[in-house]
Amino acid sequence: MASATPVALRKPEPVPGTVPRPAGVAPDAAAGVTVTDPAMVKRAVKAAALGNAMEWFDFGVYSYIAVTLGKVFFPSGNPTAQLLSTFGAFAAAFLIRPLGGMVFGPLGDRVGRQKVLALTMIMMAAGTFAIGLIPSYASIGVGAPVLLLLARLVQGFSTGGEYAGAATFIAEYAPDKKRGFLGSWLEFGTLAGYIGGAGLVTLMTALLSTDDLLSWGWRIPFLIAGPMGLIGLYLRMRLEETPAFAAELEKAHKDEQARSKVRLRDMVTGQWKALLLCMGLVLVFNVTDYMLLSYMPSYLTSELEYDETHGLLVILAVMALMMCVQPFVGALTDRVGRRPVIAAGCAGFLVLSVPALLLIREGSLWAIGLGLGALGLLLVCFTASMPATLPALFPTKVRYGSLSIGFNISVSIFGGTTPLVVTALIGATGDKMMPAYYMMAAAVVGGIAVWYMTESARKPLPGSPPAVERRA
């Protein structure tokens, strides 16, 4: 496609009931395209990714300090039972995510992506901050795990609108030829958040005694969520609405009857094929993601009796490797397509999950690093592709809502429950290879979804005109 000549950007008078078109973004009527300002796009990507990093800092902390939380919030006795209880509270937040998606997703399609993303940030920070204030089980008994569960439910509800909104926001701002590269920075932010959370836990584990960590040290990373939430809120409040959503509201204002027909059932029954594809892709993406980033630190400690600090450091190194590779794989999806990259990840997990886990179980530092590094590089095939792939499954008028519903149902049933299910399977069977088998099963489901999905690289989003980058 020949690039369009930039139009003069004069701020128009807003039509009542509409969202003004973002500064730096304009429709080129002659060419039938949307012309985006690179500086504005970078600002939107940075704000969404940084906000996502702060969200996932909270989840990273919970995952990497799970063994300690089990001792703080649950009765002493069986360490496996404590860990199961902790991961049970972890999974409970994911069970409520579909409800959050059903609330925030449709809301984002009605009032705007930016407003909902700011709201989810406030709720997530409040839920995490509250965990740092809860007394221990030794102090208030059963009230401690109850309060922990309530705080986790607040986190889960807010997160129901987070990922889908951030991915939609970046996808709708990005030019078609760079959507994979720009979308990959969303998961770059996720990895940065995980590294921040895990790094802080690792530092505290190394510097504090076990007694200090159990009595007060574990609270520090959760209390940090307060000021971090304010920073994230500031970043997101400075965002402007996407050109695709602004254009959709303009069309809806001209046809109020058509706008009123977009309801929750339209986001489900009217998009059921895309929803099934979304759920299959999210399944393989999140099962492998939570297996590696959330479950493996506890697996190394509780199942393989590996030193806790060294296990966390190895995971940190793997995530740093993933961050380095992430933008390059995102750019690769723009050149060769999303389908080949996702298919390669599915095939890799199907073939290499068992060998990688056998290396991890060997126990030496080099073997654990090699096994986890292989899984991490395979995971990048998903983290670099999905932020651009998933929003392209749905049209603009229902994109946030449909993606929130499909994404969160799949994450709740399969992704967030991964640590709990795998821990229970190992306890029931005694087979410590269960993590590999679980990833292989997820890879089969993901491969089926890839077979049926259509390629979206270098193409306009459904319901939107082609988007090109404005030249200087």
Side-chain angles (χ1 to χ4, degrees), residues 62 73 127-134 148 151-152 155 218-219 222:
Y62 191 97
F73 286 106
T128 307
F129 187 77
I131 292 177
L133 301 176
I134 300 174
L148 174 64
R152 287 291 298 157
Q155 288 180 314
W218 67 269
R219 299 182 186 275
F222 293 102

Side-chain angles (χ1 to χ4, degrees), residues 12 25 107 132 157 174 193 198 212 239 264 286-287 338 345 387 451:
V25 180
L107 189 63
F157 186 79
D212 286 341
L239 294 173
L264 182 61
N286 277 268
V287 165
R338 325 284 189 228
W451 179 267

Side-chain angles (χ1 to χ4, degrees), residues 200-266:
L200 182 56
V201 171
T202 303
L203 182 63
M204 293 191 312
T205 302
L207 296 181
L208 298 179
S209 67
T210 301
D211 290 340
D212 286 341
L213 191 64
L214 285 172
S215 62
W216 56 268
W218 67 269
R219 299 182 186 275
I220 294 175
F222 293 102
L223 295 178
I224 289 176
M228 287 185 66
L230 293 177
I231 296 173
L233 179 62
Y234 169 75
L235 291 171
R236 289 189 169 180
M237 290 299 292
R238 294 181 68 245
L239 294 173
E240 296 172 336
E241 272 304 341
T242 67
F245 180 74
E248 190 67 30
L249 276 190
E250 289 176 7
K251 289 190 298 182
H253 179 72
K254 296 176 183 177
D255 189 355
E256 288 292 339
Q257 184 178 6
R259 181 182 176 186
S260 64
K261 292 180 181 178
V262 181
R263 300 185 178 93
L264 182 61
R265 67 170 178 265
D266 298 308

Side-chain angles (χ1 to χ4, degrees), residues 29 36 120 146 167 310:
T36 62
T120 59
V146 170
H310 288 147

Side-chain angles (χ1 to χ4, degrees), residues 4 7 117 164 221 330 471:
V7 297
L117 285 173
R471 294 183 178 180

Side-chain angles (χ1 to χ4, degrees), residues 42 54 93 102 105 107 109 139 219 231 246 298 361 372 405:
K42 290 179 181 178
M54 293 178 187
M102 291 178 186
L107 189 63
D109 284 327
S139 300
R219 299 182 186 275
I231 296 173
S298 297
R361 290 188 59 194
L372 291 175
I405 293 168

